[in-house]
Amino acid sequence: MGARLFKRGLESVSSDYFGTKTPAFGLRLAERAETYAGSTLRKGHVIVVVDGVPVDNLEANYLLVGFKCERGKPVRITFWDGAAYREWDGLLPLRRIGVCFEGL
């Protein structure tokens, strides 16, 4: 099951992992985030890493955000904004981003 959810493994990566190429995997935001992340995460951005772990699918994202991110502790999200990879550090109420996703 782990290999199916985390196709690139659980090793920690940084935004340098992707270089400057458009992401080949990740979760595209279908709308602006409704949490504190909303000030940064907007429709069309692609989340590729949560707390250092690449996310290929919705299930992996839910597991990482729900279990890896402890309440009251900031989470780091690496995303593609259409021009470059960026990182956002912040708190997620109820450990949820609060947005619908669409496929790449």
Side-chain angles (χ1 to χ4, degrees), residues 3-76:
R4 183 179 66 83
L5 290 179
F6 301 100
K7 296 175 184 167
R8 286 161 183 72
L10 292 170
E11 293 91 25
S12 186
V13 300
S14 69
S15 56
D16 296 335
Y17 174 82
F18 301 98
T20 58
K21 295 182 180 179
T22 302
F25 65 90
L27 300 170
R28 184 182 318 275
L29 279 71
E31 57 194 25
R32 185 180 179 146
E34 295 177 7
T35 62
Y36 297 120
S39 61
T40 303
L41 296 173
R42 302 191 190 320
K43 181 177 180 176
H45 288 174
V46 180
I47 294 175
V48 292
V49 174
V50 174
D51 269 355
V53 179
V55 291
D56 287 279
N57 54 64
L58 196 55
E59 294 84 4
N61 176 70
Y62 285 151
L63 283 172
L64 288 170
V65 172
F67 295 109
K68 195 173 185 327
C69 309
E70 298 177 37
R71 288 181 191 262
K73 291 195 175 185
V75 61
R76 172 168 283 173

